Amino acid sequence: MLVPETSITHPIEERIAWAEHCCARLKDTLLGDPEVSSLLEGLRVAIRDSRSRMAGLGIGDLCKACEEDEGGSCCGAGLEEHYSGTLLLINLLLGVKIPTRKGDPESCFFLSATGCQLLARHVICVNYLCPKIEARIPAGEIACLRQMEGVELDLLFVLHERVKRILCSLP
Ligand code: SF4
């Protein structure tokens, strides 16, 4: 019998363990579902497009400079608490290697020296742009980026619901 999803109130390590357990047991079943596999592929492309747009706008460079010069990252400790087991499972299905230990105690569990280790991110993470970035990037460019991120988030929402429905239907 499938272990029920650990609640969002459980420690992040337990949610990661739950996602790893489900992936090991049910990866073939989930990837064998035509809707899941098509949504995963669409999501992969949407994430690639929105990340590439962000890089093209220089957002990654601005974040790096801010972190190096001002010693701060927006990915602070506790933000990982927004991540459900199902969202972590989707990351595993996308081939992400999820860390099992936190790096910097002051930062989000999923932040590494090279940035966020997740591909499918929570709406809070996708939508956040600091005031400095909003002031430096033209509004039209931000609107275009928001549109691409909207595609990513819509696909992720439908996929999240589909995966949950499959998990609930299993004996
Ligand atoms: S973007 Fe990634 S590292 Fe940053 S807060 Fe979100 S999950 Fe954590």
Side-chain angles (χ1 to χ4, degrees), residues 87-150:
L87 186 46
L88 295 172
L89 172 58
I90 288 171
N91 274 281
L92 292 172
L93 293 174
L94 285 166
V96 170
K97 195 168 174 346
I98 297 179
T100 48
R101 281 195 200 165
K102 192 173 182 138
D104 177 358
E106 301 295 314
S107 298
C108 171
F109 193 97
F110 303 117
L111 186 67
S112 73
T114 53
C116 180
Q117 297 185 68
L118 301 181
L119 269 180
R121 292 178 304 146
H122 192 280
V123 60
I124 285 182
C125 300
V126 175
N127 275 347
Y128 184 74
L129 286 179
C130 76
K132 213 183 290 178
I133 287 176
E134 285 186 324
R136 288 197 199 170
I137 311 258
E141 299 284 7
I142 290 189
C144 182
L145 175 65
R146 291 292 188 214
Q147 208 168 11
M148 296 173 97
E149 290 171 342

Side-chain angles (χ1 to χ4, degrees), residues 11-153:
I12 191 67
E13 291 85 351
E14 286 182 27
R15 278 176 264 155
I16 294 169
W18 177 87
E20 295 279 5
H21 169 80
C22 283
C23 191
R25 255 197 74 189
L26 299 168
K27 187 175 182 181
D28 291 347
T29 305
L30 290 167
L31 294 182
D33 177 75
E35 198 178 333
V36 169
S37 72
S38 151
L39 286 163
L40 273 173
E41 213 28 62
L43 180 61
R44 197 188 295 280
V45 172
I47 291 170
R48 186 199 60 204
D49 290 351
S50 59
R51 299 270 172 108
S52 135
R53 184 82 192 176
M54 278 181 83
L57 292 172
I59 292 177
D61 293 339
L62 286 171
C63 293
K64 195 161 177 269
C66 184
E67 185 156 7
E68 284 171 0
D69 302 342
E70 297 173 34
S73 160
C74 296
C75 300
L79 281 164
E80 67 275 4
E81 298 308 336
H82 295 284
Y83 282 76
S84 68
T86 305
L87 186 46
L88 295 172
L89 172 58
I90 288 171
N91 274 281
L92 292 172
L93 293 174
L94 285 166
V96 170
K97 195 168 174 346
I98 297 179
T100 48
R101 281 195 200 165
K102 192 173 182 138
D104 177 358
E106 301 295 314
S107 298
C108 171
F109 193 97
F110 303 117
L111 186 67
S112 73
T114 53
C116 180
Q117 297 185 68
L118 301 181
L119 269 180
R121 292 178 304 146
H122 192 280
V123 60
I124 285 182
C125 300
V126 175
N127 275 347
Y128 184 74
L129 286 179
C130 76
K132 213 183 290 178
I133 287 176
E134 285 186 324
R136 288 197 199 170
I137 311 258
E141 299 284 7
I142 290 189
C144 182
L145 175 65
R146 291 292 188 214
Q147 208 168 11
M148 296 173 97
E149 290 171 342
V151 173
E152 173 185 335
L153 290 169

